[in-house]
Amino acid sequence: ATNTSNGTTSTTATNSKKRPLSTVAAATVAANPAASNHPPPPRKGKDGEPLSEKKLRRLEKNRLSARECRRRKREATENMERQINLLEGENLRLRLQLQVGEEAEESIHQEQQKLTEGLDGLLKSGASESEIYAKIEEYKEKFADYGRDRRSAIEFHLRNVERLLMPTQTTSVVLATLQGGQDPTT
């Protein structure tokens, strides 16, 4: 091997490529473990001069900074993927809830239509006034704002709201801890 003017080493006939001195030294250390006792030769810049300590520290700092940047980017990507999964799940839940709501609305509409047709049939068939009155009362009880079904639905939703507004066990423990840590005179 011979040194050239630009600080690289030219190898023998088996490998005619030019490699930087540090690469040759690394290959020598890998091939010969006994050579690892010697410190590697100093790194050289493009001009063939050894790099200053300041430049070496800056290069190392840049390497560490790039590694940290890649780690943060990987974490951000993972967080975004988790957020996407959560939002997709929430979207699916809301779509199903909307579908159930639309199906319930359609069912109510069909039931109203059926009762209206039943009342119309009674009127056309010449039913007695008491039969017509009973059908109207059934209709009112079912679909009035304060009818049986509406009261039942309102009670159901109020129970759910009340349950949702109750603090969880974790919240209760935290509140008790916070109150215990305060001055009782306040």
Side-chain angles (χ1 to χ4, degrees):
T2 58
N3 283 336
T4 61
S5 63
N6 67 359
T8 58
T9 304
S10 146
T11 59
T12 58
T14 58
N15 188 357
S16 62
K17 291 183 184 177
K18 292 183 180 182
R19 293 192 286 175
L21 186 60
S22 60
T23 308
V24 172
T28 305
V29 169
N32 184 2
S36 66
N37 293 339
H38 303 290
R43 291 188 56 184
K44 293 188 178 185
K46 293 179 183 177
D47 60 356
E49 295 295 318
L51 297 176
S52 67
E53 284 295 317
K54 184 177 179 182
K55 178 129 178 144
L56 289 172
R57 282 193 307 268
R58 187 168 47 87
L59 287 172
E60 183 62 25
K61 187 176 177 183
N62 284 349
R63 260 190 239 97
L64 293 174
S65 178
R67 186 178 302 136
E68 183 65 19
C69 181
R70 287 188 297 270
R71 183 192 61 77
R72 283 193 311 265
K73 186 176 180 181
R74 188 171 41 252
E75 285 178 359
T77 302
E78 289 169 358
N79 286 338
M80 283 184 194
E81 287 173 352
R82 278 193 295 274
Q83 187 71 17
I84 286 170
N85 289 337
L86 288 173
L87 290 173
E88 285 176 344
E90 178 72 5
N91 192 2
L92 178 62
R93 186 187 66 76
L94 290 172
R95 285 178 186 266
L96 289 174
Q97 189 176 4
L98 179 63
Q99 183 180 2
V100 167
E102 288 173 347
E103 288 171 357
E105 189 70 29
E106 180 64 27
S107 171
I108 288 172
H109 181 68
Q110 287 175 352
E111 197 170 345
Q112 286 176 339
Q113 185 72 23
K114 190 170 100 177
L115 284 173
T116 304
E117 288 171 359
L119 185 59
D120 191 41
L122 284 176
L123 289 172
K124 287 181 180 176
S125 68
S128 69
E129 199 170 297
S130 61
E131 289 176 322
I132 294 172
Y133 181 76
K135 195 65 154 175
I136 290 173
E137 285 301 313
E138 177 187 343
Y139 189 83
K140 281 177 23 182
E141 185 63 26
K142 187 125 181 110
F143 297 106
D145 286 341
Y146 297 103
R148 179 189 69 236
D149 288 356
R150 295 284 174 110
R151 283 192 310 267
S152 174
I154 289 170
E155 288 169 4
F156 169 77
H157 291 297
L158 286 176
R159 280 192 308 272
N160 280 336
V161 167
E162 183 180 10
R163 182 182 55 82
L164 291 171
L165 291 175
M166 296 297 293
T168 63
Q169 186 174 3
T170 304
T171 306
S172 299
V173 169
V174 169
L175 287 174
T177 304
L178 288 175
Q179 290 172 351
Q182 291 179 349
D183 184 44
T185 59
T186 57

